[in-house]
Amino acid sequence: MSNLQINGGFPLEGEVKISGSKNAALCLIAGALAIQKKVILQNIPVLTDIYNFIEILKALNVKCVFIDDNHLLIDSRNIVYKSLCLDEVQKFRASYYLIGALLPSVNHVEINYPGGCNFSKRPIDIHLKMFEDYGCKYIANDCLNFHFEEYKNHHIVLKNISFGATVNAILMGLYAKEEVVIENVSKECEIDCLISFLNTAGKNIARENNKIIIKEGSFHNLSFSNIPDRMEIGTFAFLAASKGKLKLYPIIREQISYLEDVFQKLNITYYFVENSLVIENTNVNKSLIIETGEYPLFPTDLQPILTAYLTTIRRIHVLKENVYNERFSHVEELKKMGAVIFKESNTLLINGIFSLHGSIVKAKDLRCGAALLVCALNAEGKTIIENAEILYRGYESIVKKLKAIGAQVEVIE
Ligand code: EPU
């Protein structure tokens, strides 16, 4: 798929099966590599980032193959280290988990810089400081070169909260002979999913609020199931709220409390039935003032999608982005569809309008693409979303899922 053509304005109705979490899956794959056992991961979404990770693992002589729908077999018992100055490493962000996953056992990792969505500056200083605190040495040239001999420190305090650095710090601590304490960690449920995987594999890891404690334990083969993708839930939830009635399943209610907050503030009709969430298009007549923040606050990944949804509500809304100060690639594209948005520093003032119109727009990154989908499906007329293949980095079978709920969407090669 390169471009998508969308005929907007039609109601969306039906059920959407939510795929496994992209960001948790990337942690689980890194975890499976780190423990060097035979692992079957269930509910792994088939996405570009996952395929790129699989290609890198294969280069390390790790057997890594989908054996069934969304069941990924990873057997890293015969891993053979080689340099990871590979193009694949630059294609996604989570490739830097390879450092934490490999360094304690192979002692030397040469790797390209990570890539990923380019919506803002994305430094890796928190990771580098953490690796140094553990006792690693590194040289940053065309590639990154890490050396590690022994643990110099078992008490790591991350200099700032970072999801990725928390993952790397956990992976790095897995082979310590003493108890490891990591402080100032991120609280995301995807991190808890990784901890749960490692504990099922034989380790003893506990979380105490913003502290993670890793105790001894040896690893064994295992099978483990991934959590649902809360960004996909959020995306379809805002689509439903603007344009129809959708039942989303499976969901884990406590992982999406920030969505309930927004629904309640705007009086959006929603309810839970067993493990599914039903959201109905609601004629909202309220303004929203909201900020993104660390989990369980409203996530930065849904900020572009919420922006798109708010353009459809005829009130003035204020949305402040606190995680990535420059994550606004969607704004100029949404304006091409008639959205009225003013940006001041890291805050958007969104003036919801009566109707959006179709246009030619570009998905500059994954969540920008999702925001464009929300507006295109609400707009009058035809929208072309260019560079739409970027959606396959984070939304499994997106076109098929949209068509199944009545969206008029076609792939244009
Ligand atoms: N940061 C630094 N230095 C670092 C690392 C991060 O300054 O060494 C800053 C970032 O620039 C940002 C903040 O810390 O301002 C938080 O970044 P974090 O490290 O938590 O993000 P990440 O691990 O790189 C993951 C997700 C992102 C998601 C963020 C925030 C994956 C693969 N990526 O990125 O997901 O936006 O957490 O929740 O898990 C997406 O799915 O579209 C996506 C971009």
Side-chain angles (χ1 to χ4, degrees), residues 111-356:
I111 188 165
N112 229 331
Y113 290 83
C117 284
N118 203 13
F119 46 71
S120 184
K121 287 191 198 83
R122 298 181 78 182
I124 56 167
D125 55 308
I126 306 171
H127 298 249
L128 295 177
K129 169 84 170 50
M130 174 275 296
F131 284 123
E132 276 188 324
D133 288 349
Y134 266 119
C136 309
K137 293 199 169 25
Y138 71 89
I139 303 170
N141 284 326
D142 291 349
C143 273
L144 291 158
N145 259 287
F146 291 87
H147 287 272
F148 175 68
E149 274 162 28
E150 56 180 340
Y151 290 94
K152 293 258 160 59
N153 197 346
H154 292 83
H155 187 181
I156 305 293
V157 182
L158 299 180
K159 71 172 185 162
N160 273 311
I161 294 181
S162 151
F163 179 89
T166 302
V167 174
N168 259 331
I170 294 172
L171 297 172
M172 221 15 242
L174 291 181
Y175 288 94
K177 295 277 181 287
E178 289 173 33
E179 180 176 296
V180 170
V181 176
I182 311 164
E183 287 198 61
N184 204 25
V185 294
S186 115
K187 296 191 184 118
E188 264 88 349
C189 52
E190 291 81 6
I191 302 270
D192 289 331
C193 180
L194 172 65
I195 292 174
S196 172
F197 164 80
L198 294 166
N199 285 343
T200 311
K203 203 69 187 164
N204 181 358
I205 306 179
R207 178 200 279 281
E208 285 172 13
N209 202 14
N210 66 347
K211 191 194 281 188
I212 288 172
I213 301 147
I214 307 177
K215 296 187 180 155
E216 275 258 50
S218 53
F219 296 114
H220 51 73
N221 298 342
L222 77 155
S223 181
F224 187 86
S225 189
N226 188 16
I227 56 175
D229 195 299
R230 59 195 175 95
M231 303 315 160
E232 190 188 14
I233 295 170
T235 305
F236 278 103
F238 288 121
L239 261 180
S242 63
K243 211 66 218 152
K245 179 176 178 183
L246 296 178
K247 177 176 174 182
L248 314 179
Y249 72 97
I251 56 106
I252 300 174
R253 186 171 179 174
E254 56 271 25
Q255 294 179 353
I256 53 168
S257 56
Y258 46 82
L259 279 183
E260 284 199 68
D261 269 4
V262 173
F263 296 162
Q264 284 165 14
K265 282 182 182 143
L266 293 178
N267 275 346
I268 291 172
T269 309
Y270 75 98
Y271 50 91
F272 293 91
V273 187
E274 292 174 356
N275 68 342
S276 53
L277 166 65
V278 181
I279 312 105
E280 285 183 29
N281 169 227
T282 313
N283 201 358
V284 174
N285 59 7
K286 292 192 160 196
S287 291
L288 185 68
I289 299 175
I290 190 167
E291 301 187 11
T292 65
E294 282 142 18
Y295 185 85
L297 300 177
F298 194 84
T300 172
D301 290 347
L302 288 180
Q303 177 264 112
I305 296 142
L306 178 60
T307 305
Y309 168 65
L310 292 176
T311 65
T312 69
I313 300 176
R314 294 178 71 189
R315 286 286 183 278
I316 290 182
H317 315 279
V318 181
L319 207 173
K320 188 170 173 201
E321 170 58 63
N322 289 321
V323 182
Y324 293 105
N325 285 340
E326 299 151 34
R327 190 175 198 170
F328 297 111
S329 57
H330 52 297
V331 170
E332 288 308 312
E333 299 307 302
L334 295 180
K335 283 185 184 173
K336 292 178 189 166
M337 303 172 82
V340 180
I341 306 172
F342 304 94
K343 182 170 113 46
E344 180 66 46
S345 182
N346 62 340
T347 300
L348 298 181
L349 193 137
I350 301 154
N351 192 351
I353 60 162
F354 182 67
S355 108
L356 297 160

